Amino acid sequence: FVFKYKIPFVASVSLCFKKNICWTENHETSMEMFIFRTRTHPDTTDGVLEVDGEKFCDTAERTADRLPYGTYEVKVLHPSAGTERLVICRPDKRHSVGELLAGNGTNTLRRGGIVVGEHRARGLCIRSRLTFERLLERLKEVRGQEMALYIV
C-alpha cells in the first residue's frame, strides 16, 4: 500500500501521518525525498524511495534498527578515505542517525542503515552499488542546498 501526494514546501506546512508523527517545515527545500515503507516483516522492512515525486529505487532496512517515522536531512560526506557517504541527520542535530548505502541485504547494516537498489526478495536489493552511485550523482547536483528526507 503506497499513497501518493504532493506537498508544497514554500510556505509553512504541517504534516501528520500514521503513528501520530507530526512535523512542520518552514523553509523551501531544494530536493525532497520520501521513503514509503511498503512491507514490514519481523526481520526486514522494504520500501520505495521517491526523489522529487518520482520513484527512484527500492529500499531495505533491518526492522529492529530502522529509523522512526519523521523528517531528516541528507548530507554528502567526503571522508579522507575517498569514498563518499550519504549520511542521514535530524534537522535540529549535527550528528548522524543513519545512512543511505549500497549493499545486498540487511544482515550487515548498522543502526539507521538503509540499503538502496532493486528489490529481488524480502530484505534483498540487487544493483545496489549502481543505484547508490546514481543517487549520489543526483544529490551532488544540489550540493550546498538542503536535501530533506521524509520517512512515512
Side-chain angles (χ1 to χ4, degrees), residues 15-23 68-71 90 151-152:
L15 306 172
C16 294
F17 294 100
K18 58 185 175 180
K19 304 230 182 202
N20 297 324
I21 302 297
C22 298
W23 63 88
Y69 296 99
T71 304
R90 282 269 184 207
I151 299 178
V152 294

Side-chain angles (χ1 to χ4, degrees), residues 84 131-142:
E84 296 169 311
T131 304
F132 177 78
E133 289 173 2
R134 280 184 27 236
L135 180 60
L136 188 61
E137 289 302 315
R138 183 110 180 240
L139 295 179
K140 284 180 183 179
E141 294 173 5
V142 293

